[in-house]
Short mmCIF file of all heavy atoms in Angstrom, two decimals:
data_model
loop_
_atom_site.label_atom_id
_atom_site.label_comp_id
_atom_site.label_asym_id
_atom_site.label_seq_id
_atom_site.Cartn_x
_atom_site.Cartn_y
_atom_site.Cartn_z
N PHE A 25 95.76 99.99 91.69
CA PHE A 25 94.75 99.69 92.71
C PHE A 25 93.75 98.70 92.12
O PHE A 25 93.15 98.97 91.06
CB PHE A 25 94.06 100.98 93.06
CG PHE A 25 92.89 100.78 94.03
CD1 PHE A 25 93.05 100.18 95.29
CD2 PHE A 25 91.60 101.16 93.69
CE1 PHE A 25 91.99 99.98 96.12
CE2 PHE A 25 90.54 100.96 94.50
CZ PHE A 25 90.71 100.40 95.74
N LYS A 26 93.59 97.52 92.68
CA LYS A 26 92.72 96.49 92.13
C LYS A 26 91.33 96.48 92.79
O LYS A 26 90.49 95.82 92.34
CB LYS A 26 93.41 95.14 92.32
CG LYS A 26 94.64 95.02 91.39
CD LYS A 26 95.16 93.58 91.51
CE LYS A 26 96.11 93.40 90.38
NZ LYS A 26 96.49 91.95 90.25
N GLY A 27 91.23 97.12 93.95
CA GLY A 27 89.93 97.23 94.60
C GLY A 27 90.01 96.87 96.06
O GLY A 27 91.01 96.57 96.63
N ILE A 28 88.79 96.90 96.65
CA ILE A 28 88.67 96.54 98.03
C ILE A 28 87.82 95.27 98.16
O ILE A 28 86.76 95.16 97.47
CB ILE A 28 88.02 97.70 98.87
CG1 ILE A 28 88.99 98.92 98.87
CG2 ILE A 28 87.66 97.23 100.29
CD1 ILE A 28 88.44 100.01 99.67
N GLU A 29 88.30 94.34 98.87
CA GLU A 29 87.59 93.06 99.03
C GLU A 29 87.34 92.69 100.52
O GLU A 29 87.91 93.37 101.38
CB GLU A 29 88.43 91.94 98.45
CG GLU A 29 88.61 91.94 96.95
CD GLU A 29 89.35 90.74 96.42
OE1 GLU A 29 89.94 89.95 97.23
OE2 GLU A 29 89.37 90.52 95.20
N ASP A 30 86.56 91.66 100.69
CA ASP A 30 86.34 91.16 102.01
C ASP A 30 85.85 92.16 103.08
O ASP A 30 86.35 92.15 104.22
CB ASP A 30 87.59 90.43 102.53
CG ASP A 30 88.02 89.29 101.62
OD1 ASP A 30 87.16 88.70 101.02
OD2 ASP A 30 89.26 89.07 101.51
N ILE A 31 84.91 93.02 102.68
CA ILE A 31 84.32 93.91 103.71
C ILE A 31 83.49 93.03 104.61
O ILE A 31 82.56 92.37 104.13
CB ILE A 31 83.55 95.01 103.01
CG1 ILE A 31 84.44 95.89 102.09
CG2 ILE A 31 82.88 95.90 104.12
CD1 ILE A 31 83.62 96.92 101.31
N LYS A 32 83.76 93.12 105.94
CA LYS A 32 83.01 92.27 106.84
C LYS A 32 82.80 93.02 108.17
O LYS A 32 83.58 93.85 108.55
CB LYS A 32 83.84 91.02 107.22
CG LYS A 32 84.15 90.09 106.09
CD LYS A 32 85.05 88.91 106.58
CE LYS A 32 85.40 88.08 105.36
NZ LYS A 32 86.38 87.08 105.76
N VAL A 33 81.68 92.72 108.75
CA VAL A 33 81.47 93.06 110.20
C VAL A 33 82.00 91.92 110.97
O VAL A 33 81.45 90.83 111.01
CB VAL A 33 79.99 93.29 110.44
CG1 VAL A 33 79.76 93.60 111.88
CG2 VAL A 33 79.39 94.41 109.56
N VAL A 34 83.12 92.09 111.66
CA VAL A 34 83.72 91.04 112.39
C VAL A 34 83.25 90.93 113.85
O VAL A 34 83.40 89.90 114.49
CB VAL A 34 85.28 91.05 112.35
CG1 VAL A 34 85.75 90.81 110.94
CG2 VAL A 34 85.80 92.34 112.93
N LEU A 43 84.53 96.74 111.69
CA LEU A 43 84.57 96.38 110.27
C LEU A 43 85.99 96.15 109.86
O LEU A 43 86.92 96.80 110.30
CB LEU A 43 84.03 97.52 109.48
CG LEU A 43 82.55 98.02 109.72
CD1 LEU A 43 82.30 99.25 108.91
CD2 LEU A 43 81.63 96.86 109.37
N THR A 44 86.16 95.20 108.89
CA THR A 44 87.47 94.98 108.26
C THR A 44 87.26 94.96 106.72
O THR A 44 86.19 94.62 106.22
CB THR A 44 88.09 93.66 108.69
OG1 THR A 44 87.24 92.58 108.25
CG2 THR A 44 88.30 93.58 110.17
N ALA A 45 88.31 95.29 106.03
CA ALA A 45 88.30 95.21 104.59
C ALA A 45 89.75 95.08 104.17
O ALA A 45 90.70 95.30 104.99
CB ALA A 45 87.68 96.42 103.95
N THR A 46 90.02 94.77 102.92
CA THR A 46 91.40 94.58 102.42
C THR A 46 91.45 95.35 101.07
O THR A 46 90.68 95.14 100.12
CB THR A 46 91.73 93.09 102.13
OG1 THR A 46 91.57 92.41 103.38
CG2 THR A 46 93.14 92.94 101.70
N ALA A 47 92.47 96.29 100.95
CA ALA A 47 92.77 97.00 99.78
C ALA A 47 93.83 96.24 99.04
O ALA A 47 94.87 95.90 99.60
CB ALA A 47 93.16 98.42 100.07
N LEU A 48 93.59 95.92 97.76
CA LEU A 48 94.46 95.11 96.90
C LEU A 48 95.21 96.01 95.91
O LEU A 48 94.57 96.80 95.24
CB LEU A 48 93.73 94.05 96.16
CG LEU A 48 92.94 93.08 97.01
CD1 LEU A 48 92.05 92.18 96.17
CD2 LEU A 48 93.88 92.25 97.88
N PHE A 49 96.57 95.81 95.79
CA PHE A 49 97.37 96.59 94.90
C PHE A 49 98.37 95.62 94.22
O PHE A 49 98.67 94.58 94.69
CB PHE A 49 98.18 97.66 95.72
CG PHE A 49 97.42 98.76 96.14
CD1 PHE A 49 96.77 98.72 97.41
CD2 PHE A 49 97.29 99.92 95.40
CE1 PHE A 49 96.06 99.77 97.87
CE2 PHE A 49 96.56 100.97 95.93
CZ PHE A 49 95.97 100.96 97.13
N GLU A 88 102.35 91.86 94.17
CA GLU A 88 100.93 92.26 94.62
C GLU A 88 101.01 92.36 96.14
O GLU A 88 101.76 91.61 96.80
CB GLU A 88 100.03 91.15 94.22
CG GLU A 88 99.72 91.15 92.73
CD GLU A 88 98.58 90.19 92.38
OE1 GLU A 88 97.96 89.55 93.28
OE2 GLU A 88 98.28 90.05 91.13
N PHE A 89 100.20 93.22 96.64
CA PHE A 89 100.21 93.35 98.15
C PHE A 89 98.85 93.82 98.59
O PHE A 89 98.04 94.26 97.81
CB PHE A 89 101.29 94.34 98.61
CG PHE A 89 101.19 95.71 98.07
CD1 PHE A 89 100.53 96.71 98.87
CD2 PHE A 89 101.66 96.05 96.83
CE1 PHE A 89 100.43 98.01 98.42
CE2 PHE A 89 101.53 97.34 96.34
CZ PHE A 89 100.98 98.32 97.12
N MET A 90 98.55 93.61 99.88
CA MET A 90 97.28 93.94 100.48
C MET A 90 97.46 94.91 101.69
O MET A 90 98.54 94.75 102.41
CB MET A 90 96.58 92.71 101.01
CG MET A 90 96.24 91.68 99.93
SD MET A 90 95.44 90.26 100.58
CE MET A 90 96.75 89.42 101.40
N ILE A 91 96.57 95.72 101.90
CA ILE A 91 96.62 96.61 103.07
C ILE A 91 95.29 96.44 103.84
O ILE A 91 94.20 96.54 103.25
CB ILE A 91 96.75 98.09 102.64
CG1 ILE A 91 98.13 98.26 101.97
CG2 ILE A 91 96.55 99.04 103.77
CD1 ILE A 91 98.44 99.61 101.50
N PRO A 92 95.38 96.21 105.12
CA PRO A 92 94.13 96.02 105.91
C PRO A 92 93.54 97.39 106.19
O PRO A 92 94.29 98.36 106.55
CB PRO A 92 94.62 95.32 107.16
CG PRO A 92 96.03 95.69 107.31
CD PRO A 92 96.57 95.85 105.92
N LEU A 93 92.19 97.49 106.12
CA LEU A 93 91.45 98.68 106.44
C LEU A 93 90.53 98.33 107.55
O LEU A 93 89.42 97.79 107.26
CB LEU A 93 90.74 99.29 105.22
CG LEU A 93 91.66 99.59 103.99
CD1 LEU A 93 90.74 99.96 102.81
CD2 LEU A 93 92.61 100.71 104.37
N ASN A 94 90.85 98.54 108.80
CA ASN A 94 90.01 98.12 109.96
C ASN A 94 89.53 99.31 110.71
O ASN A 94 90.25 100.31 110.79
CB ASN A 94 90.84 97.29 110.89
CG ASN A 94 91.47 96.08 110.25
OD1 ASN A 94 90.89 95.46 109.35
ND2 ASN A 94 92.63 95.74 110.59
N VAL A 125 77.78 98.89 103.44
CA VAL A 125 79.02 99.54 103.99
C VAL A 125 79.73 100.14 102.81
O VAL A 125 79.88 99.55 101.77
CB VAL A 125 79.93 98.38 104.61
CG1 VAL A 125 81.22 99.05 105.08
CG2 VAL A 125 79.14 97.71 105.77
N TYR A 127 83.31 102.53 101.92
CA TYR A 127 84.61 103.13 102.27
C TYR A 127 84.82 104.22 101.17
O TYR A 127 84.81 103.93 99.99
CB TYR A 127 85.72 102.11 102.17
CG TYR A 127 85.84 101.15 103.30
CD1 TYR A 127 84.88 100.10 103.52
CD2 TYR A 127 86.88 101.26 104.25
CE1 TYR A 127 85.00 99.20 104.55
CE2 TYR A 127 86.95 100.35 105.30
CZ TYR A 127 86.00 99.38 105.43
OH TYR A 127 86.11 98.53 106.52
N LEU A 131 93.73 107.00 99.43
CA LEU A 131 94.97 106.33 99.82
C LEU A 131 96.06 107.08 99.06
O LEU A 131 95.97 107.43 97.89
CB LEU A 131 94.96 104.84 99.41
CG LEU A 131 94.06 103.95 100.15
CD1 LEU A 131 94.01 102.56 99.53
CD2 LEU A 131 94.48 103.84 101.61
N ILE A 144 89.19 106.33 96.70
CA ILE A 144 88.54 105.10 97.08
C ILE A 144 86.98 105.39 97.23
O ILE A 144 86.63 106.32 97.91
CB ILE A 144 89.06 104.55 98.43
CG1 ILE A 144 90.62 104.38 98.34
CG2 ILE A 144 88.40 103.29 98.79
CD1 ILE A 144 91.09 103.36 97.35
N ASP A 145 86.20 104.60 96.55
CA ASP A 145 84.74 104.66 96.76
C ASP A 145 84.20 103.25 96.51
O ASP A 145 83.80 102.90 95.42
CB ASP A 145 84.11 105.71 95.88
CG ASP A 145 82.67 105.98 96.14
OD1 ASP A 145 82.07 105.28 97.01
OD2 ASP A 145 82.09 106.89 95.50
N GLU A 146 84.21 102.46 97.53
CA GLU A 146 83.75 101.03 97.40
C GLU A 146 82.60 100.82 98.33
O GLU A 146 82.54 101.20 99.50
CB GLU A 146 84.89 100.09 97.81
CG GLU A 146 86.05 100.13 96.93
CD GLU A 146 85.88 99.45 95.53
OE1 GLU A 146 85.09 98.48 95.50
OE2 GLU A 146 86.46 99.96 94.56
N THR A 147 81.56 100.22 97.73
CA THR A 147 80.31 99.93 98.49
C THR A 147 80.02 98.50 98.36
O THR A 147 80.12 97.87 97.26
CB THR A 147 79.16 100.74 97.94
OG1 THR A 147 79.51 102.14 98.04
CG2 THR A 147 77.83 100.51 98.78
N GLU A 148 79.54 97.85 99.49
CA GLU A 148 79.19 96.45 99.43
C GLU A 148 78.13 96.14 100.45
O GLU A 148 78.06 96.76 101.50
CB GLU A 148 80.50 95.64 99.81
CG GLU A 148 80.35 94.15 99.46
CD GLU A 148 81.63 93.45 99.67
OE1 GLU A 148 82.68 93.88 99.06
OE2 GLU A 148 81.68 92.41 100.33
N MET A 149 77.20 95.28 100.05
CA MET A 149 76.18 94.81 101.03
C MET A 149 76.80 93.67 101.85
O MET A 149 77.25 92.70 101.23
CB MET A 149 74.92 94.35 100.30
CG MET A 149 74.15 95.42 99.58
SD MET A 149 73.65 96.78 100.65
CE MET A 149 72.39 95.93 101.68
N VAL A 150 76.81 93.81 103.12
CA VAL A 150 77.57 92.83 103.99
C VAL A 150 76.46 92.15 104.82
O VAL A 150 75.61 92.71 105.42
CB VAL A 150 78.51 93.56 104.90
CG1 VAL A 150 79.18 92.64 105.87
CG2 VAL A 150 79.55 94.33 104.03
#
Side-chain angles (χ1 to χ4, degrees):
F25 174 61
K26 293 186 165 190
I28 293 181
E29 290 185 349
D30 300 327
I31 299 174
K32 296 177 186 172
V33 176
V34 292
L43 299 172
T44 64
T46 304
L48 302 172
F49 288 87
E88 288 188 4
F89 61 97
M90 299 179 287
I91 293 179
L93 302 173
N94 305 324
V125 178
Y127 283 73
L131 288 172
I144 305 296
D145 189 356
E146 296 286 327
T147 304
E148 193 170 309
M149 293 302 290
V150 177

